[in-house]
Amino acid sequence: MVKQKLPKTNEYWKKKLTSEQYAVLREKGTEAAFTGKYWDTKEKGMFHCAACGTQLFSSDAKFDSGTGWPSFDHALPGTVKLEDDTSCGMHRTEAICAHCGGHLGHVFLDGPKPSGLRFCINSCSLDLKKKKK
């Protein structure tokens, strides 16, 4: 279960995040495909929001979508909020951290079964906490 939404100022986020993270998480930007640190990682662990640290995705949900961004077939329950996004002349579903409101990426209906979902997430919005061996 996610705690109550985290209200912070733009100044707070500018100090806490890198410029790339701020552009994606706070200004709804997108990193270039095949450039993020997690797009092809096979490491096991939990993916957390890079802004607030909330656990979002298990590495068990990650799959190779061929798109150049980390893709997951489901999020941990209650951690990712979905909203309509009509920016860029398209209609998409935006994925947002339910705790801090950070933009993570988008969700598409072309993922693997059983969910059929593809959470297409920017690497810079994530922080992987590797599973201890």
Side-chain angles (χ1 to χ4, degrees), residues 32 40 48 56 85-86 98 113 132:
D40 66 345
H48 296 243
L56 302 171
D85 176 4
T86 57
K113 294 191 183 306
K132 294 182 181 170

Side-chain angles (χ1 to χ4, degrees), residues 40-84:
D40 66 345
T41 189
K42 306 285 191 270
E43 295 282 345
K44 294 295 182 186
M46 295 298 293
F47 289 88
H48 296 243
C49 176
C52 70
T54 297
Q55 288 186 357
L56 302 171
F57 303 98
S58 167
S59 60
D60 294 336
K62 190 172 185 297
F63 68 97
D64 182 5
S65 65
T67 62
W69 290 280
S71 297
F72 304 87
D73 64 2
H74 66 278
L76 297 175
T79 63
V80 177
K81 183 178 169 185
L82 304 179
E83 291 187 357
D84 280 337

